[in-house]
Amino acid sequence: MREGRPVAAGLRSVYAGRSHTVVLRAMYALKTSAWFVVVSGFFEPVFFLLSFGLGLGGLIGAIQGPKGLAVSYAAFIAPALLATSAMNGAIYDSTWNVFFKMRFARLYEAMIATSLGPLDIALGEIAYALLRGLVYALAFMSVMFAFGLVLSPWGLLAIPAALLIAFGFASCGMAITSYMKTFQQMDWINFFMLPMFMFSATFYPITVYPEAIQLLVKIFPLWHGIELIRGLTLGQFDSSILWHALYFAVMVAVGLVATTRRLTALFMK
Amino acid sequence: MSETEDSTIMIRAGGLTKAFGALVAVDGVDFEVRKGEAFGLLGPNGAGKSTIMRMIASVSRRSGGTLSILGMDPDERGPDIRGHLGVVPQQDNLDTELRVRDNLIVYGRYFGLPMKFLRPKAEELLEFAQLTEKAAVKVDSLSGGMKRRLTIARALVNEPDILLLDEPTTGLDPQARHILWDRLFRLKEAGVTLVITTHYMDEAEQLCDRLVVMDKGRIMAAGTPAALIQQYSSREVVELRFGSERNAEVALQLAGTGERIETLPDRILIYTQTGEEDLARIVDGGLRPLTSLVRRSSLEDVFLRLTGRSLVE
């Protein structure tokens, strides 16, 4: 970026206000894609909920919620699964899908030759990931309602919260993917995601860890996402919930700026 | 320059330079492209043709000099300029997740064109690309020539003022090339300005009104194909083969024939105005070539003279 250029002109050179056409492109692509892949994103958290929540939950009984009130084990892990599925969906779309389009399909190269800018592409791809995430979140929430796992009317806010989580992961995921050149490097993402899923107080309260480990868990984003949604669906939260939301707002901002810069660097050399 | 003349200049580059770190890919080139002409960029690999194309396409920032496309500076108004361009890249980058017709429609949407315009436009372009019957199939099932035609059709969806074609027929069989040339001629007739890079000299002679020959980032020569042949080659070329051991030795005896003699490992080339007469004189003089050929000089002779015969790796 050149110095002394007005901000508006700088934005105009990377953004044409047409990211909706990138979303539209994804809709057209659905026509030729395998539907079971799209649908499978819904079933994964449901299977976890059934096996762990209802199966294992029967053995465990009640568990302490964030504010110390006892809740059923299924109600405890359901919001964590919602947060995790928001994360997984966003990461899958913004890493593997984007990696393929970037390195093999050369889709962005074609897009950038039109009057679209890199920010249009970043926003469009992320918006589509969110749209898909929204469908999954709504479906999973209906399952939670059906099993009586949403204990508070605040729980409705879990849907926008899931979208915020997905937005944060998608924008950072896309930025990170832009640095990846090989499939081996892409595997590092999985290497990072699985432990985050296992250890972010997903299946038990964070208090089981010693202080130092707790701190480590709190550095990573998923814990914030789980706390955010768990607080809402259980109706047990305080003002600290805003910090969890803020964590993702920062991820969104940092990810978008980084993605736009990287797309510019990659395709507008 | 008067104002009316000025308005017909579509692209103007002055001292245009592009460096990638220490590598200077384009080293201060000047050229102009006028409305409705087919302008060719010729040169061996690494000459800087594609880099110039990318700068014109407003997806690569110049390092120095001036560049004006349709009167606009690509550094400041990239998306606006790109809205008036059609780009056919060296390698097809069609959207393989979309069907053939959808490739045209969705690409048009990227330019912000409404569906009302795009629906009939897509049919028109499918017709133009001879792909009407393939409209509903996936891109993967198309042949190389079909993909190329679809890429060109896609580049026309926004009715561009300038069409940029980066090696449009590389990798195509002769039939597919001729179909493509025919399509490009039609576009030219319709008033579309074409900028073409190629290393097929016959293609350049067929398609280009005017061209520049580039080497190592610089322009070596510029003009119409005929003028370049006149300036840098002779009217005719006599090709003689005496066997690879004898060529060099015989060439010494031929000194003075024609305007210029070039000795290659496999043959001797004599650049001359009077090929048949020179050949007769050589044979009368007692030399017996294994094979001989008199042909008209071509752009390929100009190209090889200007850019050398050594391989660029």
Side-chain angles (χ1 to χ4, degrees):
Chain A
M1 214 145 283
R2 273 188 191 171
E3 277 178 273
R5 195 140 48 112
V7 175
L11 187 66
R12 218 176 53 187
S13 68
V14 296
Y15 184 60
R18 273 205 284 281
S19 39
H20 61 279
T21 62
V22 179
V23 177
L24 183 89
R25 184 253 155 214
M27 302 286 191
Y28 270 86
L30 272 184
K31 284 207 254 175
T32 64
S33 75
W35 273 94
F36 66 88
V37 179
V38 181
V39 178
S40 69
F42 162 72
F43 284 107
E44 198 183 280
V46 173
F47 289 157
F48 266 106
L49 183 65
L50 294 178
S51 82
F52 283 74
L54 303 181
L56 198 61
L59 299 174
I60 293 171
I63 189 166
Q64 272 195 353
K67 307 219 45 163
L69 303 172
V71 294
S72 77
Y73 185 64
F76 180 82
I77 67 163
L81 292 171
L82 178 56
T84 305
S85 85
M87 169 182 85
N88 283 338
I91 287 289
Y92 184 80
D93 266 332
S94 68
T95 59
W96 283 104
N97 279 351
V98 164
F99 180 70
F100 177 77
K101 289 173 188 170
M102 212 177 257
R103 303 283 169 193
F104 297 96
R106 303 167 65 234
L107 180 69
Y108 302 142
E109 185 191 277
M111 286 179 167
I112 222 114
T114 72
S115 46
L116 289 178
L119 183 58
D120 291 291
I121 297 173
L123 275 178
E125 288 287 37
I126 291 164
Y128 175 68
L130 293 190
L131 210 59
R132 211 162 124 171
L134 176 66
V135 174
Y136 293 155
L138 286 173
F140 192 72
M141 276 298 276
S142 346
V143 173
M144 283 176 70
F145 268 111
F147 284 101
L149 302 176
V150 183
L151 307 185
S152 152
W154 286 103
L156 280 177
L157 285 179
I159 291 168
L163 282 185
L164 179 66
I165 293 165
F167 200 172
F169 276 109
S171 54
C172 285
M174 197 165 170
I176 290 166
T177 302
S178 69
Y179 288 96
M180 304 290 182
K181 292 200 174 72
T182 64
F183 283 104
Q184 283 81 359
Q185 291 172 334
M186 290 301 290
D187 277 335
W188 298 346
I189 295 176
N190 292 0
F191 183 75
F192 177 74
M193 301 292 290
L194 186 67
M196 193 157 69
F197 168 55
M198 303 301 282
F199 300 116
S200 289
T202 326
F203 297 107
Y204 40 78
I206 194 168
T207 46
V208 302
Y209 295 127
E211 200 73 33
I213 304 285
Q214 281 191 31
L215 212 62
L216 184 68
V217 170
K218 288 177 179 177
I219 291 171
F220 293 102
L222 184 59
W223 179 77
H224 295 273
I226 290 173
E227 285 304 296
L228 177 60
I229 292 190
R230 188 174 276 154
L232 291 168
T233 62
L234 297 181
Q236 300 184 30
F237 61 87
D238 52 35
S239 62
S240 71
I241 204 165
L242 293 173
W243 290 107
H244 300 313
L246 184 67
Y247 188 104
F248 285 97
V250 171
M251 273 179 88
V252 168
V254 170
L256 272 185
V257 171
T259 301
T260 305
R261 289 209 174 148
R262 282 294 296 163
L263 288 180
T264 308
L266 281 174
F267 297 105
M268 307 191 80
K269 277 184 274 204
Chain B
M1 192 172 281
S2 77
E3 197 146 14
T4 46
E5 261 180 323
D6 211 33
S7 68
T8 64
I9 302 279
M10 306 296 272
I11 303 169
R12 173 178 283 147
L16 184 62
T17 301
K18 177 73 186 186
F20 298 99
L23 175 81
V24 181
V26 176
D27 193 0
V29 301
D30 304 271
F31 64 88
E32 280 174 1
V33 180
R34 298 185 204 106
K35 190 171 170 50
E37 79 175 340
F39 180 81
L41 289 161
L42 271 63
N45 291 336
K49 307 180 299 281
S50 293
T51 307
I52 290 182
M53 280 299 228
R54 288 177 51 79
M55 286 193 280
I56 296 173
S58 309
V59 293
S60 175
R61 280 171 159 261
R62 62 183 183 270
S63 316
T66 59
L67 180 62
S68 158
I69 298 142
L70 301 164
M72 295 181 271
D73 181 341
D75 273 5
E76 276 152 27
R77 301 183 55 187
D80 293 334
I81 294 172
R82 294 201 296 272
H84 292 276
L85 303 180
V87 179
V88 179
Q90 209 172 95
Q91 273 178 286
D92 291 323
N93 55 14
L94 293 164
D95 196 328
T96 51
E97 287 181 88
L98 303 185
R99 295 185 179 144
V100 168
R101 182 190 282 114
D102 293 346
N103 254 282
L104 299 173
I105 288 178
V106 169
Y107 201 75
R109 296 292 293 159
Y110 297 154
F111 287 101
L113 299 167
M115 285 306 280
K116 216 174 80 189
F117 170 83
L118 287 170
R119 275 202 202 91
K121 188 74 191 171
E123 298 315 310
E124 177 197 324
L125 289 171
L126 287 170
E127 184 83 19
F128 171 81
Q130 296 167 288
L131 289 170
T132 306
E133 276 149 44
K134 299 281 181 183
V137 307
K138 284 184 82 172
V139 165
D140 285 328
S141 66
L142 298 183
S143 72
M146 290 175 177
K147 283 184 186 163
R148 213 68 194 133
R149 296 204 303 273
L150 181 58
T151 305
I152 292 176
R154 188 185 67 172
L156 296 171
V157 76
N158 58 327
E159 301 186 338
D161 297 312
I162 305 172
L163 185 62
L164 305 176
L165 299 133
D166 199 352
E167 295 185 16
T169 64
T170 299
L172 297 187
D173 61 31
Q175 286 83 354
R177 286 180 80 198
H178 282 273
I179 293 176
L180 210 63
W181 285 350
D182 166 62
R183 302 289 113 167
L184 294 177
F185 270 121
R186 288 180 196 210
L187 290 174
K188 223 182 101 184
E189 279 170 3
V192 179
T193 305
L194 305 177
V195 181
I196 303 164
T197 76
T198 182
H199 39 228
Y200 293 125
M201 296 303 124
D202 54 340
E203 181 160 290
E205 272 189 86
Q206 286 262 356
L207 291 177
C208 299
D209 300 315
R210 224 156 45 79
L211 50 90
V212 295
V213 179
M214 297 192 61
D215 195 25
K216 300 185 183 80
R218 289 167 196 252
I219 290 178
M220 311 300 285
T224 65
L228 285 172
I229 291 170
Q230 203 178 5
Q231 189 178 349
Y232 293 97
S233 193
S234 53
R235 205 167 69 94
E236 295 180 335
V237 181
V238 184
E239 297 201 7
L240 302 171
R241 290 170 201 262
F242 291 93
S244 47
E245 297 92 39
R246 287 192 63 211
N247 282 337
E249 175 199 327
V250 175
L252 292 174
Q253 300 176 39
L254 291 174
T257 318
E259 293 167 7
R260 187 166 64 91
I261 294 182
E262 188 176 9
T263 311
L264 302 177
D266 65 329
R267 63 195 193 276
I268 300 169
L269 302 180
I270 301 169
Y271 297 88
T272 176
Q273 299 298 330
T274 50
E276 293 294 350
E277 291 161 32
D278 289 349
L279 179 60
R281 211 173 303 130
I282 290 164
V283 176
D284 289 346
L287 288 170
R288 291 280 178 272
L290 300 173
T291 64
S292 63
L293 167 73
V294 178
R295 60 169 174 82
R296 292 191 71 84
S297 194
S298 73
L299 208 49
E300 190 136 348
D301 299 306
V302 176
F303 184 84
L304 290 171
R305 176 157 188 204
L306 289 170
T307 62
R309 286 186 183 269
S310 58
L311 265 181
V312 183
E313 301 290 356

